[in-house]
């Protein structure tokens, strides 16, 4: 069971900023920007590569939730990141969107 699965069940605490029937958004424990929020599906999907065609609507819900979080945080601009696999920096194998804001972001990312 991942740490995010435990946040979903309430087994471990999180600073939840938004939730609905599809997903939960909470502040990252080690923020990489003044605003750093993770949006996760309630459904346990390991990573983006494990998504099935039937998850298409859920993926849309995650992006809509990210938009909601951006508005709630009052951000003008935001960076949305999905790390897919350990080589891309994924450390928790429960699909999640990073919503980052409050500072300038370089491109390409590191
Ligand atoms: P990733 O490296 O893309 O898998 O992102 C995992 C993120 O989860 C990292 O930014 C961690 O700081 C964050 N994280 C790990 N454990 C927790 C936790 N208990 N509460 C909030 N964020 C966490």
């Amino acid at each position: 069971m991942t740490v995010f699965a435990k946040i979903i069940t309430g087994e471990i605490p999180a600073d939840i900023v938004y939730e609905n029937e599809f997903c939960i958004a909470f502040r990252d424990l080690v923020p990489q920007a003044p605003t750093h929020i993770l949006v996760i599906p309630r459904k346990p999907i390991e990573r983006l590569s494990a998504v099935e065609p039937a998850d298409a609507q859920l993926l849309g819900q995650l992006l809509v939730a990210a938009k909601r979080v951006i508005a709630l945080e009052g951000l003008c601009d935001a960076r949305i990141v999905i790390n897919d696999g350990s080589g891309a920096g994924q450390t928790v194998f429960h699909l999640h969107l990073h919503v980052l804001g409050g500072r300038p972001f370089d491109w390409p990312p590191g």
Side-chain angles (χ1 to χ4, degrees):
M1 194 185 212
T2 69
V3 66
F4 292 175
K6 290 180 181 170
I7 287 173
I8 291 167
T9 60
E11 212 173 308
I12 65 168
D15 186 357
I16 294 172
V17 297
Y18 176 74
E19 61 184 315
N20 62 29
E21 63 182 299
F22 303 105
C23 59
I24 301 180
F26 54 90
R27 294 192 192 282
D28 197 293
L29 211 53
V30 187
Q32 303 300 318
T35 296
H36 187 172
I37 291 167
L38 302 171
V39 180
I40 71 170
R42 291 186 187 276
K43 179 179 176 181
I45 299 172
E46 277 190 15
R47 52 187 286 186
L48 189 64
S49 298
V51 160
E52 308 275 359
D55 296 316
Q57 196 186 351
L58 177 58
L59 290 180
Q61 292 291 346
L62 294 177
L63 285 173
V64 171
K67 181 201 158 180
R68 187 74 189 272
V69 165
I70 289 165
L72 287 171
E73 292 292 307
L75 299 173
C76 298
D77 303 296
R79 172 72 57 86
I80 311 299
V81 173
I82 297 175
N83 295 324
D84 182 35
S86 52
Q90 186 174 6
T91 57
V92 178
F93 282 79
H94 182 118
L95 176 64
H96 51 283
L97 276 62
H98 295 259
V99 179
L100 300 136
R103 67 167 172 82
F105 294 97
D106 293 333
W107 193 263

